[in-house]
Amino acid sequence: MKKSYLIEVLEKLSPKQMKELSELVQSPFFNKNESIIRLFEYLRIQYPEFKSENIEKEIVHKKIFNLDKYNDNFMRMLIFKLTYLAEEYLAYTHFKSDPYEESMHLINTLLDMDLDNDARKQINQLGKKINITDTNREYYKNKYELERFKTVIYSRTYRPVTVKDKPDESLLEESNNLTAFFLISILQRYRYLLNKSYSVNIKYKPEFLPYITEFLEGEGKAYLNILMISLLYKQIMLLKDYSREDLIEELIDELTNDKLKIDDEERRDGLTVMGNVCIEKAYEGKQVYYEKLLNIYKYLISKNLYNRVRGRYFESEMFHNIVTLGLKLDETEWIRGFIEKFYKKLAPDTQANTYNFSYAKLYFKTRDFEKALESIAKVAYTDLHMKINVRITAITILFELQKIEEVLTQIENFRKYIQNDKLLSTVHKKISSNFIKFTSALCKAKYSTGTDLRELKKNIAEADQVSNRVWLLNKTDELMELRKDWK
């Protein structure tokens, strides 16, 4: 039973949730089978370890029923029904977690029972509770639902007698809220797709987007007065055209303005987009965007918005970006404190890798290259970004240690990886390929005076996108100084 779906679910529950599930299983409203209660209470004793030797079906059967003869069909039936009850509990608690969902269902039921006056009271009460900060998209969805309920009551009671009784524009509220909900939802999705295309090698064609932007710039311009739609519209315009530096400044100011009513998830997602834009601008050689990016990260940390779901793990990609950026901007001690404070907030299976990789970068910054090499050697490749970052970091460490033959070997392996990896985006391939090209030229220049270092420096400085640009320029300057000494 160890690898069964039931045990996987029970392992994920907190002690409080296990207690609540026990109450549900024992409630005659949900379950009247005593054998299921006995099975759950036995498994509850095994929580949270669920040792294999204690939860084999045959052993469990004998323990709770004290029978020598094992009945597999009976056990399978009990496990199936207990699993169903566990799913019922998860669905119920999720339903109860929405502050408005229960009221919505109650109103619907009252309307089905033709209790319109009671439904109207519930609508008025709920309307006062709905807050625009309760996720902006859901706000308009809930407002739409309330207006729909009002329309049901209106259609039942409407009796036109004179011209004064003609419908007014309040009937448009239902469709207006539905339109706002739709626009926020679809723009969030298009933002995600456009943003994703910059990190992986995939291109999406949001076919409906041109019609939406045309609508928002024309007849639907009034919808841009809704803060969330305005923010999403500007982010999408920026993702389609990174040269809009005016939008970068405007969006960062808005998304970090605590006075604006933006829910946490949207604030985080918006700033994640802005972070990616800043990275691309920095790769173009505009160093000021590194500072903007670090400020974004510091803001997210200060608001505990470093994960997609509050209370879950620190995202490893963001962690790596913060370390790289802080060291680039000479905030070494701040980064040391950051690593020690937050690495245990990472997912357990990423903690060791991230810790060692971060210290490899830190030791590199403090020029303790031997320790940097020891740390980077402990890092295993776990994902696309880790593969790139570890390879580049290892190459720079080996170069600093004058292990040029090993550098060339690493470069050749890296080159093959870039050529063969189908997931790597065009942007990241270009950034990494340029790094390989210029590092190879530096290796050659170490042993040959045939390399035009001034031309090399010019090419590095003017390259559209390249990783470790500053380091490459510094190594070129060092070789130029060395050549002066040769003369």
Side-chain angles (χ1 to χ4, degrees), residues 4-5 65 127 138-139 148 161 173 214 217 242-243 247-248 313 322-323 337 343 358 361 387 389 408 415 450 477:
S4 68
Y5 170 45
F65 300 115
E138 295 304 310
Y139 167 81
R148 185 173 65 82
V161 177
E173 284 300 302
E214 182 182 353
E217 291 164 4
Y242 273 15
S243 68
L247 285 181
I248 298 175
Y313 299 121
I322 291 171
V323 171
Y343 89 93
S358 299
K361 302 280 286 184
K387 286 178 183 178
N389 291 327
L408 293 172
R415 193 194 315 276
D477 284 338

Side-chain angles (χ1 to χ4, degrees), residues 52 57 66 79 97 165 170 232 359 398 406 409 457 473:
S52 298
K57 286 188 294 184
N66 198 26
I79 292 169
S97 68
D165 297 319
S170 64
L232 288 164
Y359 265 96
L398 290 168
E406 291 184 46
T409 300
K457 183 176 180 179
L473 290 170

